[in-house]
């Protein structure tokens, strides 16, 4: 069996990720360790990012502009593939309704003027007035999107569809797929406990009334929100989201994987969702996370490369959040079909370096490729 080479220099932007990269195998299953609170993933899990993948309107990759992200259409399209969860962002409108939308601000244009509104400052009716409408007789406001570098694009995708509420997602999305509910808060704002409680209680009300046995997990970059929702309920696992130090944060709790471990242990959280590059740059953190009896899931554009997903399962990471749902679920299914052929295991030496235990079924070239790719990713 031969691995198809993907050069690290070709990976960082989705525009550069080949559409036909596949692998044919993966090692035998590795169950998540039992946590102190008794939570574990029964197998390696794949989660669809904002459903069938986030929209990158500035990208030349049409896969990133196929279906409007964070919509019922996107969720059900993802659920047709063999994935375990869909991940989406929840905010609460001014009148107390949990809605699904990633950005802190929603943009439109009226008579040539760009109008910006904070999602949490508008009512449900105002929120749903943007974009396509469920009633064909109504015309929604045109939607724009502002990128991180300040550019504004028309929110144009191949399959546009109405925005939705959290309750609609429970009612209209295939019951077989789990929900990774990201509790979305603005990094630039300071929230009081009262403000956080108001939003979280509104979200929990919908979850408890409509979950009906669906697998649920909560996650948040906002450490106080993650800790608080753990205090408010113990039914569903809570994961702390972190970029692992990839970006500068004023809150030290968000500055590294080590700090993320502290947050989880202090608040009784069940796991960490980390940017994948942070894990590759600090692979020794995986051992610390496992010793702390926490689960570990990753996110990031590199997760759209099957080889990267392969390595993470190798390394003991329990799941991945991906944009290219079709490609990655197909690759993971291929891994599992051939898992009995794989005997390698990546382990950590005392000095934190990566080592490989293997049997003769694999060529030195294949092992060298994996280790080279890991090393380049760590230092890229």
């Amino acid at each position: 069996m031969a691995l198809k080479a993907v050069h690290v220099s070709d990976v960082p932007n989705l525009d550069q990720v080949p559409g036909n990269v596949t692998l044919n195998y993966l090692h035998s299953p590795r169950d998540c360790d039992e946590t102190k609170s008794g939570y574990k993933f029964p197998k390696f899990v794949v989660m669809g990012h904002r459903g069938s993948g986030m929209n990158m309107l500035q990208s030349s990759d049409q896969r990133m502009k196929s279906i409007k992200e964070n919509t019922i259409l996107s969720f059900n399209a993802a659920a047709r593939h063999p994935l375990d969860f869909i991940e989406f962002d929840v905010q609460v409108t001014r009148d107390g309704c949990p809605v699904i939308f990633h950005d802190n601000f929603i943009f439109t244009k009226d008579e040539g003027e760009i109008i910006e509104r904070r999602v949490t400052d508008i009512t449900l009716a105002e929120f749903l007035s943007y974009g396509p409408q469920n009633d064909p007789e109504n015309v929604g406001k045109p939607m724009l999107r502002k990128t991180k570098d300040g550019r504004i694009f028309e929110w144009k995708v191949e399959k546009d569809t109405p925005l939705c509420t959290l309750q609609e997602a429970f009612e209209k999305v295939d019951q077989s797929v789990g929900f990774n509910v990201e509790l979305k808060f603005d990094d630039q704002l300071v929230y009081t406990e009262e403000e956080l409680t108001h939003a979280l209680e509104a979200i929990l009300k919908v979850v408890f009334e409509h979950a009906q046995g669906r697998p649920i997990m909560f996650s948040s970059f906002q450490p106080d929100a993650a800790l608080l929702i753990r205090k408010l309920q113990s039914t569903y696992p809570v994961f702390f989201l972190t970029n692992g130090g990839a970006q500068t944060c004023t809150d030290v709790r968000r500055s590294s994987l080590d700090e993320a471990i502290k947050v989880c242990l202090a608040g009784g959280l069940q796991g960490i969702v980390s940017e994948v590059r942070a894990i590759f740059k600090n692979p020794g953190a995986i051992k610390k996370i496992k010793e702390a009896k926490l689960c570990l899931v990753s996110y990031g554009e590199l997760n759209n490369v099957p080889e990267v997903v392969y390595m993470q399962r190798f390394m003991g990471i329990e799941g991945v959040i991906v944009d290219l749902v079709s490609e990655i679920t197909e690759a993971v299914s291929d891994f599992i079909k051939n898992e009995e052929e794989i005997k390698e295991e990546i382990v950590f030496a005392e000095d934190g370096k990566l080592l490989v235990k293997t049997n003769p079924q694999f060529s030195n070239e294949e092992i060298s490729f994996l280790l080279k790719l890991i090393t380049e990713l760590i230092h890229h």
Side-chain angles (χ1 to χ4, degrees):
M1 298 180 185
L3 292 169
K4 294 185 178 180
V6 177
H7 298 291
V8 174
S9 59
D10 294 335
V11 169
N13 298 312
L14 275 174
D15 292 354
Q16 301 172 327
V17 176
N20 60 348
V21 178
T22 60
L23 280 178
N24 295 319
Y25 50 88
L26 192 63
H27 80 306
S28 56
R30 182 198 302 269
D31 288 337
C32 175
D33 290 340
E34 191 87 12
T35 68
K36 292 179 180 177
S37 55
Y39 182 79
K40 68 177 182 179
F41 288 117
K43 64 184 185 68
F44 185 79
V45 296
V46 179
M47 306 184 187
H49 188 206
R50 306 181 201 172
S52 295
M54 67 175 175
N55 295 151
M56 292 182 65
L57 304 177
Q58 69 275 30
S59 174
S60 60
D61 189 339
Q62 290 302 311
R63 295 174 295 180
M64 308 309 296
K65 296 180 282 190
S66 176
I67 307 175
K68 174 75 73 64
E69 69 178 36
N70 276 336
T71 61
I72 302 300
L73 182 63
S74 183
F75 298 155
N76 280 324
R80 288 194 288 270
H81 298 280
L83 53 68
D84 305 280
F85 287 80
I86 53 174
E87 179 272 353
F88 53 75
D89 313 272
V90 176
Q91 304 183 58
V92 177
T93 60
R94 190 181 73 199
D95 50 350
C97 183
V99 296
I100 300 178
F101 196 73
H102 174 269
D103 301 357
N104 296 313
F105 294 89
I106 192 166
F107 292 81
T108 190
K109 181 181 287 187
D110 185 22
E111 296 182 352
E113 180 185 359
I114 294 176
I115 300 174
E116 173 186 36
R117 301 288 303 278
R118 183 180 289 277
V119 172
T120 54
D121 285 346
I122 62 178
T123 65
L124 173 61
E126 289 173 314
F127 174 76
L128 295 177
S129 71
Y130 289 82
Q133 301 293 291
N134 286 311
D135 185 345
E137 294 186 0
N138 294 336
V139 178
K141 299 174 184 176
M143 288 184 65
L144 308 176
R145 186 173 215 177
K146 189 173 185 179
T147 59
K148 291 182 179 179
D149 60 7
R151 291 180 293 168
I152 294 180
F153 292 84
E154 180 183 359
W155 203 320
K156 188 175 182 180
V157 294
E158 293 178 21
K159 297 178 182 178
D160 209 351
T161 185
L163 301 176
C164 67
T165 65
L166 178 60
Q167 181 174 333
E168 284 181 286
F170 278 108
E171 294 172 344
K172 298 178 180 180
V173 175
D174 189 319
Q175 185 69 25
S176 66
V177 67
F179 285 174
N180 176 355
V181 181
E182 181 182 337
L183 311 168
K184 187 74 176 181
F185 294 94
D186 191 338
D187 292 341
Q188 306 304 314
L189 297 181
V190 176
Y191 295 89
T192 65
E193 183 172 340
E194 182 181 2
E195 290 170 328
L196 291 175
T197 301
H198 171 75
L200 297 179
E201 287 183 341
I203 293 168
L204 286 173
K205 183 176 187 297
V206 174
V207 170
F208 283 120
E209 289 179 358
H210 298 279
Q212 297 182 345
R214 185 191 299 269
I216 306 290
M217 60 179 282
F218 294 109
S219 59
S220 185
F221 282 103
Q222 222 291 350
D224 293 321
L227 294 170
L228 183 55
I229 200 163
R230 187 64 187 144
K231 291 180 181 178
L232 293 173
Q233 62 83 43
S234 59
T235 303
Y236 302 112
V238 180
F239 282 57
F240 182 44
L241 269 161
T242 179
N243 61 42
Q247 298 174 355
T248 302
C249 299
T250 55
D251 190 331
V252 68
R253 295 173 295 179
R254 299 180 56 183
S255 63
S256 68
L257 286 170
D258 287 339
E259 289 297 328
I261 294 172
K262 293 178 184 178
V263 170
C264 291
L265 294 180
L269 309 189
Q270 281 68 41
I272 295 169
V273 181
S274 172
E275 212 285 332
V276 61
R277 288 186 185 279
I279 298 172
F280 284 137
K281 289 178 179 179
N282 183 17
I286 299 175
K287 181 179 179 181
K288 295 179 182 178
I289 291 168
K290 288 186 171 296
E291 289 175 346
K293 299 188 181 299
L294 299 170
C295 290
L296 177 61
V297 174
S298 73
Y299 74 92
E301 292 180 19
L302 282 175
N303 281 354
N304 296 302
V305 179
E307 280 82 354
V308 175
V309 175
Y310 168 72
M311 286 187 296
Q312 290 179 77
R313 176 159 169 160
F314 236 175
M315 296 164 70
I317 295 166
E318 284 85 3
V320 291
I321 300 173
V322 306
D323 292 298
L324 303 184
V325 171
S326 176
E327 290 86 340
I328 299 302
T329 54
E330 180 180 358
V332 170
S333 294
D334 288 341
F335 298 164
I336 294 171
K337 286 178 184 177
N338 296 281
E339 62 192 13
E340 291 303 320
E341 300 179 33
I342 305 302
K343 302 299 181 184
E344 289 84 4
E345 182 180 5
I346 291 180
V347 296
F348 300 98
E350 290 298 324
D351 59 3
K353 292 182 178 179
L354 295 170
L355 301 175
V356 170
K357 293 180 178 179
T358 183
N359 74 12
Q361 283 186 319
F362 272 72
S363 69
N364 290 333
E365 289 78 10
E366 288 171 336
I367 299 303
S368 295
F369 166 74
L370 285 173
L371 291 179
K372 181 175 183 294
L373 187 52
I374 291 172
T375 302
E376 290 184 2
L377 285 168
I378 290 171
H379 298 290
H380 186 62

